[in-house]
Amino acid sequence: MTKYTEPKYRTIHEAEANELESLKEKVAASLWKPAFHIHPEHGLLNDPNGLAYFNGAYHVFYQWFPFGAYHGMKHWAHVKSTNLVEWERLPTALVPTEDYESHGAYSGASMEVDGKLYLYYTGNIKFSAEERSANQCLAIMEKDGQVRKYDKNPIIKGVPAGFTGHVRDPKVFKKGNMYYMLLGAQREDKTGAIIIYESKDALDWSFKGELKLDLDLPESCYMLECPDYFEIQGQEILVVSPQGLEAKKHDYQNLYNVIYALGKLDIENLTFDVTSYEELDKGFDFYAPQTFEGKSNERLMFGWAGMAEVEYPTDQEDWAHCLTLPRELDIVNSRLIQKPAKELKQLRSKSQSDVRTLDNGSTKLHSGFLSFELEASIESSGADSFGVELFSSETEGLVLAFDRSSQTVSLNRENFHTSFDKENGLVRSAELSIGDSVKVQAFVDRSIAEIFINDGEVVFTTRAFPMQQSTGVKLFTDKKLTCTYTIHQLKSNNSL
Ligand code: FRU
C-alpha cells in the first residue's frame, strides 16, 4: 500500500536549508515567549512525555511539531535539568523515521528498568485523513543519554479486537512481579476506554483487557487520552484526559478536560473502584498531564498548558504552547491538591513585601515585572466580592474574583486586546469555601498564569496574551479587606 502523505508529515531531517534557523529567529523575537516555562524553540508543543528523575537529573520530553503552530508529524523533544528550574535543550529524542511510526511518535511515559530509562510511546499510523492505526513502541535511554529505538519495535503491533485505531499514550508501572501498561482507547462503538497490557520483562506484552472504570461518563465521551496511575500515601489515583464530556456548571468548560479519580485498582479483575472524582484544573488551558516520582519520592506533575483545536495568538509567530510548571501532588481531606514544586523558590530574585488595607475600590500592588510570583493572603471577612487582577493595565487584565454569596472563585479573561478562544467562553469557575481569609499564589510568565488558591485546593492554568505594558497586579474589593503580600521577580531560564 502506498503511504498516506501530506506536507505536515515530514520529519526534522527533511527541513529545508535555513528553515529551522529562520523559525528560531522569528520565535526568539516574541513578546509572549515564557522566561521560565518549558516551551518549544519553534513549532508546536503539546503533551509532556517520558517524565523521569533518572541518573541524577530530571528528564522532560514533550510532543513537538517543529515546523509551525499546528499538529503535524510529532517528535519527542528533550530537555534536562538537575534542579527542576534550569533546563538545557538536548537533541530531539525521537524522530519518527520508521514505518511503525510513519505519522508521528505520539505520547507515552517512561520507566526505569535495569539502570536504563525505557521510553514507551505510540507509533501513529495514518492510512488516510480519517483512517488510522497505532503501534506501541519502545526506545531506551542509556545512562550516557543516548536514546535508541528498540530493534524489535513495535512491541505491540496494531490494536486489539473491539477497538478503533485510537489506542495510544502508554503509561507503564510495576506491581508485584509484573509490568502493566495502561493505554487510552476508543471502543468500536466510538466511546472512550482504558485498556491494559501486561508483561514479565517490560519488553513482551500481552493484552489483558479493558479496565472497568465506574466513572459515570456520558456516552458522548468518545476517547480517553493519556491515562496515568499512581499512589500517594497509599491512596491510589487515576488521572485521565477524556474527550467529549458535556459542560456542567463549574466543570468541563474546555473543549477537552482532565479528571482524577481516587479509588482502588484490582488489576487481576481489571477494575478501578472509584470513591470520588473531579476535574483536576479549573483554568482555560490545561490538558494531558503526566506524573512521575521526583528526587525525594514526591509525586510531581507537568501538564500541557494548551488546548487542541484552539487558535492561539502565537500561531502567527510559528510557535504555540508551553508546559505548566512542575507541581507537587498531595492528598488532603480526600482531595488531590497541587502545589508548585518547592524547587521553584530558586527562581526568586528581587522580592517586595507589603500590607495593604482597602475599603471598596481597587489599588495597584505592583507593576513592571513580566515574570513573577505573587503570594497574597487576603483577610476579607467583611467583603462579598473581591480579588486580584493580573496582567493589569488601564485597558487589560485577567480577573480572579472571589464571591462569598455563591462560594465561588472565577477567572475572567475577556479584557485583552488580543483575544482568542472566545467560542469556548471567557470565564472559568470553581466552588470554594470562602472563609475569613484566602490565599493566592500565582506564577505569571509573560503569557501564562498558574494560580494556586488556598495551598492548591483550586488551581487555574491559563494563557493570556497581554500588551507589553500590562504588567500590573491589582487588588479590588467591595468592602474592607487587608492583603499581606510578597512579589518575587523570577529569573529567566536563559538556555530555553
Ligand atoms: C493528547 C494527544 C495524545 C496523543 C498526542 C499526539 O493531547 O492527542 O492522545 O498521543 O496528543 O500529539
Side-chain angles (χ1 to χ4, degrees):
M1 203 187 335
T2 52
K3 190 161 134 184
Y4 170 67
T5 55
E6 250 193 77
K8 67 178 184 178
Y9 294 114
R10 87 187 144 116
T11 72
I12 197 159
H13 297 328
E14 293 152 83
E16 282 154 29
N18 295 324
E19 189 177 7
L20 301 178
E21 288 67 26
S22 73
L23 280 166
K24 257 184 227 174
E25 262 172 47
K26 189 167 177 188
V27 177
S30 172
L31 179 65
W32 293 312
K33 221 170 122 71
F36 55 86
H37 280 77
I38 296 171
H39 61 276
E41 220 173 355
H42 46 84
L44 178 141
L45 163 155
N46 56 302
D47 316 353
N49 291 158
L51 306 177
Y53 181 71
F54 170 70
N55 195 27
Y58 287 97
H59 291 270
V60 169
F61 304 85
Y62 58 81
Q63 285 286 283
W64 185 43
F65 176 63
F67 298 114
Y70 51 98
H71 294 264
M73 189 70 128
K74 294 294 170 69
H75 298 54
W76 275 36
H78 186 188
V79 294
K80 177 180 161 181
S81 169
T82 50
N83 61 6
L84 269 184
V85 298
E86 285 152 318
W87 296 94
E88 175 196 351
R89 286 192 193 278
L90 296 180
T92 309
L94 296 176
V95 181
T97 50
E98 307 300 319
D99 287 347
Y100 58 74
E101 54 188 6
S102 58
H103 295 75
Y106 270 18
S107 286
S110 68
M111 177 175 63
E112 192 173 329
V113 181
D114 299 335
K116 296 174 185 187
L117 193 68
Y118 280 29
L119 307 168
Y120 295 90
Y121 66 101
T122 300
N124 182 42
I125 309 290
K126 288 258 205 171
F127 303 117
S128 68
E130 290 82 34
E131 289 164 289
R132 65 167 80 198
S133 186
N135 294 313
Q136 309 311 323
C137 312
L138 172 67
I140 297 174
M141 187 167 86
E142 304 287 337
K143 284 213 157 123
D144 66 5
Q146 288 295 320
V147 179
R148 282 187 205 90
K149 287 179 193 156
Y150 182 49
D151 54 11
K152 299 203 183 75
N153 265 345
I155 50 172
I156 299 170
K157 193 167 169 37
V159 303
F163 297 89
T164 71
H166 290 277
V167 172
R168 55 180 172 264
D169 312 334
K171 172 79 187 193
V172 278
F173 57 91
K174 195 174 183 187
K175 239 186 190 334
N177 292 327
M178 293 294 280
Y179 296 99
Y180 297 96
M181 179 188 289
L182 301 183
L183 286 162
Q186 183 182 59
R187 299 182 195 103
E188 269 172 354
D189 69 358
K190 304 278 161 67
T191 54
I194 292 177
I195 58 173
I196 305 189
Y197 282 76
E198 65 182 358
S199 167
K200 288 201 180 80
D201 59 3
L203 296 169
D204 274 329
W205 294 86
S206 51
F207 182 56
K208 197 165 168 65
E210 180 184 329
L211 180 69
K212 287 180 233 39
L213 230 189
D214 57 347
L215 289 173
D216 49 355
L217 297 175
E219 262 174 40
S220 58
C221 172
Y222 59 87
M223 177 68 191
L224 296 182
E225 296 191 313
C226 303
D228 195 354
Y229 165 79
F230 51 95
E231 284 183 29
I232 297 177
Q233 305 164 24
Q235 169 69 67
E236 294 168 62
I237 302 150
L238 191 107
V239 174
V240 71
S241 297
Q243 297 185 311
L245 298 186
E246 290 150 13
K248 280 190 205 159
K249 204 173 176 201
H250 300 300
D251 299 330
Y252 319 136
Q253 298 293 327
N254 299 333
L255 190 55
Y256 303 132
N257 305 279
V258 182
I259 56 181
Y260 77 86
L262 304 183
K264 208 151 187 41
L265 177 67
D266 178 345
I267 202 109
E268 275 322 303
N269 290 310
L270 288 164
T271 55
F272 187 88
D273 279 334
V274 177
T275 45
S276 64
Y277 76 94
E278 65 177 329
E279 192 170 20
L280 187 56
D281 185 293
K282 308 304 289 185
F284 294 85
D285 309 276
F286 182 83
Y287 195 62
Q290 189 180 101
T291 72
F292 66 112
E293 197 173 292
K295 201 178 189 167
S296 331
N297 306 109
E298 73 278 35
R299 193 38 61 174
L300 295 173
M301 179 183 83
F302 281 89
W304 169 26
M307 195 53 59
E309 283 154 64
V310 168
E311 274 178 40
Y312 284 73
T314 61
D315 291 4
Q316 305 300 324
E317 303 174 343
D318 288 333
W319 73 281
H321 312 306
C322 61
L323 296 184
T324 64
L325 292 171
R327 298 177 185 172
E328 186 172 337
L329 303 182
D330 204 354
I331 299 283
V332 176
N333 298 330
S334 301
R335 291 186 68 205
L336 188 68
I337 59 144
Q338 310 173 53
K339 287 186 187 167
K342 48 191 175 310
E343 285 83 352
L344 295 169
K345 292 197 174 117
Q346 300 165 89
L347 285 169
R348 294 174 182 174
S349 59
K350 268 186 260 157
S351 300
Q352 271 174 257
S353 301
D354 209 345
V355 181
R356 199 70 69 86
T357 296
L358 181 68
D359 198 348
N360 193 358
S362 66
T363 180
K364 196 200 279 175
L365 300 181
H366 194 272
S367 73
F369 293 161
L370 292 170
S371 299
F372 62 89
E373 177 189 344
L374 165 73
E375 292 182 288
S377 174
I378 305 174
E379 306 292 326
S380 63
S381 52
D384 293 318
S385 171
F386 58 95
V388 175
E389 192 174 297
L390 301 168
F391 299 114
S392 175
S393 64
E394 290 285 301
T395 54
E396 292 195 314
L398 178 70
V399 182
L400 177 75
F402 296 90
D403 185 75
R404 192 179 301 279
S405 62
S406 60
Q407 295 282 296
T408 54
V409 53
S410 62
L411 190 68
N412 181 322
R413 72 169 173 194
E414 73 191 307
N415 299 321
F416 287 95
H417 289 282
T418 306
S419 62
F420 72 110
D421 193 25
K422 287 194 198 141
E423 317 74 65
N424 294 310
L426 295 160
V427 182
R428 295 292 181 268
S429 58
E431 247 171 62
L432 182 76
S433 133
I434 302 174
D436 288 347
S437 76
V438 294
K439 266 171 132 181
V440 176
Q441 185 179 16
F443 286 80
V444 173
D445 191 10
R446 286 160 196 260
S447 59
I448 177 166
E450 290 180 70
I451 306 171
F452 300 81
I453 292 156
N454 289 351
D455 296 314
E457 220 186 289
V458 173
V459 182
F460 290 99
T461 304
T462 289
R463 301 296 304 277
F465 297 89
M467 299 181 300
Q468 193 156 16
Q469 65 268 34
S470 299
T471 61
V473 178
K474 200 161 90 181
L475 180 71
F476 61 89
T477 184
D478 62 347
K479 297 205 188 75
K480 193 168 173 189
L481 60 66
T482 300
C483 176
T484 308
Y485 67 96
T486 302
I487 296 191
H488 309 277
Q489 184 170 28
L490 298 182
K491 286 181 228 163
S492 168
N493 192 332
N494 292 325
S495 55
L496 270 185

